[in-house]
């Protein structure tokens, strides 16, 4: 997540007061870096998520994965659009260019059946199992009175294409 944007661009917090704080409302890009040896790093620039997925305001807490689909290498980048939904971008290379899948909207949207009972739709994590099945984990937040067991984290099997849901989240 590239969270320097708000302060760098405005030098002010969400209510216009000068600050070094960041309320995360301006995060709309993801920085891409790589390393072959975990010592030397290459900066590949930023993925301008809000320009690729025009419905997205934010790009928080990204998670990436790789899968071979129909003999082609594919890379997927899942992100939280504030706490309002989970989006996905795809590419043919881990460094991009990334594009919005043909869905044209969030993978998980606030108010959808997939988000039922989830306070905040954020912090996606993705896993491609040894058998090639993809799973997406997301959610969070603590509803009032449910501190001991919020029950707001979900897991869902992804479709073979990694940009659709195979079932309802559990």
């Amino acid at each position: 997540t590239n969270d320097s944007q708000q302060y760098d661009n405005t030098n002010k917090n969400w209510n216009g007061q000068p600050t070094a704080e960041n309320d995360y409302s301006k995060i709309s890009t993801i920085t891409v870096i790589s390393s072959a040896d975990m010592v030397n790093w290459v900066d590949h620039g930023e993925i301008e998520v809000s320009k690729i997925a025009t419905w997205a305001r934010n790009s928080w807490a990204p998670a990436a994965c790789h899968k071979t689909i129909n003999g082609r290498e594919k890379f997927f980048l899942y992100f939280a659009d504030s706490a309002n939904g989970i989006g996905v971008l795809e590419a043919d290379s881990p460094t991009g260019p990334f594009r919005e899948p043909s869905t044209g909207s969030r993978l998980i949207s606030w108010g959808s059946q997939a988000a039922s009972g989830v306070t905040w739709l954020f912090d996606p994590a993705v896993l491609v199992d040894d058998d090639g099945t993809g799973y997406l984990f997301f959610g969070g937040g603590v509803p009032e009175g449910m501190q001991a067991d919020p029950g707001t984290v979900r897991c869902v099997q992804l479709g073979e294409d990694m940009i659709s849901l195979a079932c309802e989240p559990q």
Side-chain angles (χ1 to χ4, degrees), residues 77-89:
L77 183 65
Y78 301 84
F79 62 94
D81 180 22
S82 185
N84 298 309
I86 305 297
V88 61
L89 301 177

Side-chain angles (χ1 to χ4, degrees), residues 75-161:
F75 298 84
F76 301 91
L77 183 65
Y78 301 84
F79 62 94
D81 180 22
S82 185
N84 298 309
I86 305 297
V88 61
L89 301 177
E90 62 182 353
D92 298 324
S93 161
T95 58
F98 280 86
R99 63 192 168 276
E100 183 176 24
S102 58
T103 57
S105 64
R106 294 177 182 94
L107 182 60
I108 309 279
S109 294
W110 186 257
S112 68
Q113 177 64 28
S116 179
V118 179
T119 307
W120 300 326
L121 296 172
F122 64 20
D123 291 347
V126 64
L127 165 78
V128 177
D129 208 343
D130 291 342
D131 66 2
T133 304
Y135 297 92
L136 179 67
F137 301 82
F138 65 93
V142 181
E144 190 164 331
M146 297 180 67
Q147 287 79 1
D149 184 10
T152 56
V153 176
R154 298 289 183 269
C155 176
V156 64
Q157 182 178 333
L158 293 167
E160 186 65 28
D161 60 7

Side-chain angles (χ1 to χ4, degrees), residues 2-3 9 12 17 29 48 60-62 67 85 99 107 121 136 162 165:
N2 181 353
D3 65 352
N9 289 337
K12 297 178 180 170
Q17 300 301 312
T29 64
E48 296 187 61
W60 298 354
K67 184 175 178 181
R99 63 192 168 276
L107 182 60
L121 296 172
L136 179 67
M162 300 295 286
L165 305 182

Side-chain angles (χ1 to χ4, degrees), residues 1-2 5 27-32 45-49 59-60 62 77-79 89:
T1 299
N2 181 353
Q5 296 163 317
I27 297 171
S28 62
T29 64
I30 296 171
T31 302
V32 180
E46 284 145 6
I47 302 167
E48 296 187 61
V49 174
S59 55
W60 298 354
L77 183 65
Y78 301 84
F79 62 94
L89 301 177

